[in-house]
Amino acid sequence: MLHFLQDTRRLGVLDLGSGTARLVVYAYAPGRYFHQVDELREPVRLGEGLAKGSLSPEALKRGARALRLFADFARAVGLAQEEVVALATSALRDGQGGEALLEEAARLGLPLRVISGEEEARYGVLAVANSFPFSEAWVVDQGGGSAQVSRMEGRRFAGGRALPLGVLRLKEAFWTQDPPSAREVQALRRHVRAHLKGLPSGTGLPLVAMGGTVRALARLHQKQSRYPLDLLHGYFLPLEALKELKEVLLALPLKKRKELEGLQPDRAETVPVGAVFYEALLETLGLPGLYVSGQGIREGAFYERFLPPPHLLQEVRGFFVEALFHRYPFDPLHRDRVAALALALFDGLAPLHRLGPAARRLLHEAALLHDIGMHVGYLDHHKHGAYLVLSEPLPGLTHKEQALLALLVRYHRRGKPEFGALKPLFAKEDKDLLLKLSALLRLAEHLERPRTGRVRGVRLEIGERVRLRLEASEEPWVEVLETEKQAGLFAKAFGRGLEVVWP
């Protein structure tokens, strides 16, 4: 069951792209919380014919069919016309013959807005600004008809180009064989480099790429490398890995590409084109790789409704951690008490653990989320909570940080803290970090075991043993007994014995 705030609204964002059309539905409370609740996807290949300047009749038929599908869905779920934002991009912007689609959309109650290349780029930058911890970056969105290459400065759009380098357009113009010949590949590469000429190299800014093509490339790399997380947003795809993947894709015929694990069949025809494009782009900019965005122009358009101008979240990471709590809320008083106790323990034990503010923040976030698994059930709620933390991206956190957050939730009440299947994400020294933070969170949880706030605070006395003196108006018998049971874990983490006393 989904748990929303009382003033939850809905918004559908329709993106009639040159390759794929999507209708995504969000539930949201303005400025506070949002969550995607549904999606329809149709591989329309609307950009078919762009290389010659006109959209093909078959592409227009597929586009009209998708619009009818989306309109019927919107009616069925009760989305009013003002609750749907409908956008069209380069296929209708650059290709001839799209007027019929615009008329069909209006007739269906889905008036399409053909956005300019700059507006498309602005939406992409807005999505990155609200889902990555970067204030400056390159933002690239390669679709079927065009590729937007933009600069983000101070989390705002600072200019860019709409280039005719979409995967469908490029394939139609340069490749006739399957797989393409070496000559065709070189011709495409020269063409892409010519359009990218003039982009400044050596800036050192991160590159964030969005769109179905780069997500397909990243998913393929994850499958080949046996990546332990099923998350794409925030994934870093190295240039060298991209080059290796490109060579594999260029050597396979379409039938074999469709059989690759992790690749949607409708992406198989154009994904090698995207690999050539991104390789050339990274080499032009002198960058070692790119970050994959799971958000794009749909989310950019959504943020316009969700947030007041300039449509920016105050702090990305904190917002999405809090949003996860809103989806699976538990007693907020208990949550805040556990968080306060965990931070008090962290600060008081600083001479022993010598961890910095990044670890302190992660501990705080784990305390804020530790009981979200109660929505599945009390038994094993620590395991359910870990699953929920990893069930979708938490923008602002790296994949390693998100995995560590899930593990802290997993071990907040019992079990030996260990990496398990997530081990490939971590370095050797991370084992000590997991152990120490797990011990602190578990102590905080047991100091609040009756969930009544009887333990108001703690004082720590560090000697050969650590004496944990509890502040409470009456004897907290349960809290003392339950916390003492964690003395073994504490000793492993901090190398000292633990004594729990009151007063």
Side-chain angles (χ1 to χ4, degrees), residues 404-450:
L404 192 53
L405 180 60
L407 290 171
L408 292 175
V409 171
R410 164 67 177 83
Y411 294 111
H412 82 270
R413 63 192 292 250
R414 66 174 63 164
K416 177 184 177 182
E418 55 189 8
F419 296 135
L422 299 175
K423 187 176 180 180
L425 293 171
F426 296 101
K428 186 177 181 180
E429 58 270 20
D430 293 323
K431 185 175 182 180
D432 183 62
L433 176 64
L434 173 63
L435 185 61
K436 288 178 177 177
L437 295 185
S438 295
L440 294 175
L441 181 59
R442 196 177 299 182
L443 288 182
E445 170 73 346
H446 286 87
L447 288 171
E448 181 32 27
R449 187 65 185 83

Side-chain angles (χ1 to χ4, degrees), residues 455-469:
V455 173
R456 299 189 304 271
V458 295
R459 287 184 289 117
L460 292 114
E461 301 166 7
I462 301 175
E464 291 186 6
R465 294 169 61 83
V466 172
R467 178 175 289 115
L468 184 59
R469 194 174 294 278

Side-chain angles (χ1 to χ4, degrees), residues 26 31-36 126-133 155 233 295 299 302-303 306-307 312-328 335 361 365 368-369 372 388-389 392-397 402 405:
Y26 302 94
R32 293 192 288 163
Y33 160 84
F34 76 90
H35 174 57
Q36 182 177 327
L126 190 57
V128 169
N130 284 319
S131 62
F132 279 86
R155 299 181 68 204
H233 184 86
Q295 297 195 14
E299 286 75 17
F302 168 78
Y303 286 125
F306 181 66
L307 298 165
L312 293 174
L313 295 172
Q314 185 174 357
E315 202 269 327
V316 171
R317 178 170 172 165
F319 171 84
F320 283 99
V321 168
E322 194 67 19
L324 186 58
F325 171 76
H326 281 307
R327 282 186 63 194
Y328 307 106
R335 176 185 95 144
R361 177 167 193 174
E365 291 165 338
L368 296 179
L369 299 175
I372 61 173
L388 293 175
V389 170
E392 61 184 53
L394 282 178
L397 283 82
Q402 187 169 347
L405 180 60

Side-chain angles (χ1 to χ4, degrees), residues 14 44 67 85-86 102 161 214 227 299 352 380-381 496 502:
L14 191 164
V44 293
L67 288 175
V85 175
L102 296 176
R161 307 181 192 176
V214 76
Y227 194 64
E299 286 75 17
L352 292 184
D380 287 340
H381 71 266
R496 307 283 176 100
W502 175 85

Side-chain angles (χ1 to χ4, degrees), residues 323-341:
L324 186 58
F325 171 76
H326 281 307
R327 282 186 63 194
Y328 307 106
F330 56 95
D331 180 1
L333 295 177
H334 171 68
R335 176 185 95 144
D336 293 343
R337 288 191 292 259
V338 170
L341 289 167

Side-chain angles (χ1 to χ4, degrees), residues 244-318:
E244 294 174 6
L245 186 57
K246 180 202 70 174
E247 294 302 326
V248 171
L249 292 169
L250 290 174
L252 293 175
L254 177 60
K255 182 179 178 181
K256 291 293 184 182
R257 293 199 299 272
K258 287 183 176 181
E259 296 172 356
L260 291 173
E261 185 182 7
L263 183 63
Q264 291 175 309
D266 61 280
R267 296 283 182 196
E269 189 169 350
T270 55
V271 72
V273 180
V276 173
F277 167 79
Y278 280 109
E279 178 192 42
L281 178 62
L282 290 171
E283 289 178 343
T284 298
L285 294 173
L287 295 175
L290 58 83
Y291 292 91
V292 178
S293 174
Q295 297 195 14
I297 68 167
R298 290 181 297 277
E299 286 75 17
F302 168 78
Y303 286 125
E304 276 195 333
R305 290 280 190 97
F306 181 66
L307 298 165
H311 314 299
L312 293 174
L313 295 172
Q314 185 174 357
E315 202 269 327
V316 171
R317 178 170 172 165

